[in-house]
Amino acid sequence: MDLMLNDRVAVITGPAKGMGAAVTRAFAEEGCRLALLARDLTAVEALADDLRSAGHACLVARVDVTRAKDCARAAAATLDAYGQIDILVNVAGGTGTIGKSGVQTAPAEFDATVALNMGGCFNMIRAVLPAMIEQRYGKIVNVGGTFGMRGRAGRLAYSASKWGLRGITKSFALEAGPFNINVNCVAPGMVDGPRFREKVCVDMASRLGISIEEAARRHAEEYALKRITTDQDVANACLFLASDVSRQVTGIDFPVDGGWAAL
């Protein structure tokens, strides 16, 4: 199936690590012109050089998504370079504290997680939406998480931020819909990779006195499909929601979790 993404301009935050790198490569392979935004450009520049050598158009900008001015400058730079912004994929985010109860979570830890996971998406959407409204076309995909669809003890700040992102998604979907702009949220479950193995599994292994491999297996057992989500699973979902194949889909929570949040 042709996703009709060739020559579209896609802005991607958090584009070079974990699922962000998979998302970036997936959009490049579909022929998108890219604007890659991140605070730390070391990994981004290496990825961008690799993509450029393969013939892909790739702009890189240093952006702290919690700063509205950074987001506005990045949107302006993208418009200067490409003349349009068709797609925004908000991947940038953080796990927040792991294994702490709400009482144990410091206010500063809570605020920082919400500022990044909610505020960062809000700032980026505000930055790109005027251009999308003017051209009467746009696709916005926020990467949330299934802990924003079901509660999770020990992940209060993260869960709160992802629940809030769902509200941001749905409100913007209603406001932007009349301008032919779709706004949706992909909600990954546990995604296999360093963050999952070195933080989530380590926490469970420490608490239960089991191996990291056993912790990963127990997480997989919670899902109907008995397997952990991969970066490519998330990238595929983002491609679908950023394409015109999903032209009649907006405001949804799209769990990519092997059957956990919805079952």
Side-chain angles (χ1 to χ4, degrees):
M1 180 180 291
D2 183 3
L3 294 177
M4 298 172 283
L5 288 170
N6 189 57
D7 212 35
R8 294 291 189 191
V9 174
V11 177
I12 303 173
T13 71
K17 297 178 182 178
M19 75 177 78
V23 169
T24 296
R25 291 189 179 278
F27 277 83
E29 289 167 5
E30 291 294 327
C32 290
R33 294 174 286 167
L34 304 175
L36 307 182
L37 315 183
R39 283 185 297 186
D40 180 3
L41 296 187
T42 304
V44 180
E45 290 286 8
L47 175 59
D49 287 343
D50 186 35
L51 293 174
R52 291 181 188 121
S53 68
H56 301 294
C58 195
L59 175 155
V60 171
R62 189 185 306 278
V63 174
D64 179 346
V65 295
T66 67
R67 296 171 59 88
K69 290 183 178 179
D70 279 14
C71 298
R73 281 195 294 268
T78 304
L79 289 170
D80 286 344
Y82 297 129
Q84 64 198 70
I85 297 175
D86 303 305
I87 298 161
L88 168 65
V89 186
N90 278 314
V91 183
T95 60
T97 58
I98 296 175
K100 285 187 177 182
S101 69
V103 171
Q104 293 168 331
T105 301
E109 293 173 323
F110 179 87
D111 290 346
T113 303
V114 171
L116 177 56
N117 292 348
M118 286 178 60
C121 293
F122 170 71
N123 288 336
M124 280 306 309
I125 293 171
R126 286 186 72 247
V128 306
L129 203 52
M132 291 182 173
I133 289 173
E134 183 175 354
Q135 68 192 22
R136 295 298 193 271
Y137 182 88
K139 304 283 187 177
I140 297 171
V141 182
N142 297 320
V143 177
T146 50
F147 290 178
M149 302 179 73
R150 288 178 58 178
R152 190 74 169 190
R155 298 299 300 279
L156 185 142
Y158 178 84
S159 294
S161 68
K162 296 303 185 179
W163 278 90
L165 181 56
R166 293 173 63 200
I168 288 172
T169 298
K170 294 175 190 302
S171 292
F172 270 123
L174 287 167
E175 294 172 2
F179 302 99
N180 191 34
I181 299 165
N182 304 61
V183 188
N184 290 293
C185 186
V186 170
M190 294 294 185
V191 179
D192 207 349
R195 183 183 293 180
F196 171 65
R197 297 280 173 172
E198 297 169 11
K199 290 187 177 182
V200 176
C201 290
V202 165
D203 174 68
M204 175 183 275
S206 176
R207 285 188 290 106
L208 301 181
I210 58 177
S211 69
I212 292 174
E213 290 73 18
E214 175 63 13
R217 189 194 67 78
R218 291 194 186 189
H219 276 294
E221 281 297 313
E222 294 185 18
Y223 305 148
L225 293 175
K226 307 302 180 187
R227 59 182 178 239
I228 300 297
T229 300
T230 68
D231 293 335
Q232 193 60 48
D233 294 326
V234 179
N236 291 340
C238 291
L239 285 175
F240 169 69
L241 291 176
S243 75
D244 285 336
V245 173
S246 63
R247 62 179 292 274
Q248 203 64 5
V249 178
T250 198
I252 69 161
D253 306 304
F254 189 178
V256 183
D257 64 353
W260 183 75
L263 300 177

